Amino acid sequence: ETGVTQTPRHLVMGMTNKKSLKCEQHLGHNAMYWYKQSAKKPLELMFVYNFKEQTENNSVPSRFSPECPNSSHLFLHLHTLQPEDSALYLCASSHLRDRYPRAFFGQGTRLTVV
Amino acid sequence: GQQVMQIPQYQHVQEGEDFTTYCNSSTTLSNIQWYKQRPGGHPVFLIQLVKSGEVKKQKRLTFQFGEAKKNSSLHITATQTTDVGTYFCAGGSNSGYALNFGKGTSLLVTP
């Protein structure tokens, strides 16, 4: 296992639903990330948290709302999504004590919006 | 902003053939990292290069970082079916710690 756990692994939701993705890391890291991985697109960085503080929001639509209650947990709250939001959502963590932090990824949540 | 381009997008080889993927950045990188994602899996860290002109080897895999720290390559010698997957490069900038990933090269190896 990677030390980064994501739940659920698969999610199907309607466009009017509200759901949340959860990520938990057991590595003692202090930075956490949400990435979106769609077919034919690179890994898109969505949000970055450093010690619970959001440091980056890469022009992500407001229908995606992140929450980081502590440095071990990260959530992505979803509401009124569109079919084009269907993708693999990957959580990652890293330790900022490293000069050039590397990312440890969770197994992802495969999201389908119908 | 920083862009990391990776080619080719796909590569299909016969087992035993060599394979190379290339990564180019529009800006100078602080470091370059390589990840592998198996089909149905998640990206897993392979290696990190920091120094200009650096070369590192992991068994049949050879990683290079360009002299200008703007390009990198991954070369696999004598591919095996276990090498199947998508290989991503990820560039670090000097202004932050988040990584910018290339689109990846999907490698298919047929026996």
Side-chain angles (χ1 to χ4, degrees), chain B residues 31-52:
Chain B
N31 74 107
I32 190 105
Q33 300 180 21
W34 286 90
Y35 292 76
K36 177 183 179 182
Q37 184 173 19
R38 294 182 187 275
H42 57 278
V44 176
F45 174 84
L46 291 177
I47 209 160
Q48 179 183 67
L49 303 169
V50 177
K51 299 178 183 177
S52 169

Side-chain angles (χ1 to χ4, degrees), chain B residues 3-74:
Chain B
Q3 290 188 351
V4 176
M5 309 300 291
Q6 197 172 348
I7 57 170
Q9 190 173 356
Y10 303 99
Q11 186 81 56
H12 182 183
V13 300
Q14 294 288 319
E15 190 172 24
E17 293 181 336
D18 292 356
F19 159 78
T20 305
T21 173
Y22 301 90
C23 185
N24 287 285
S25 170
S26 56
T27 58
T28 301
L29 301 170
S30 61
N31 74 107
I32 190 105
Q33 300 180 21
W34 286 90
Y35 292 76
K36 177 183 179 182
Q37 184 173 19
R38 294 182 187 275
H42 57 278
V44 176
F45 174 84
L46 291 177
I47 209 160
Q48 179 183 67
L49 303 169
V50 177
K51 299 178 183 177
S52 169
E54 189 170 13
V55 178
K56 287 188 176 180
K57 292 190 175 184
Q58 287 181 349
K59 298 183 180 178
R60 294 178 293 103
L61 278 61
T62 301
F63 304 84
Q64 291 187 311
F65 201 11
E67 295 290 339
K69 300 182 73 172
K70 286 187 173 184
N71 61 285
S72 181
S73 65
L74 158 59

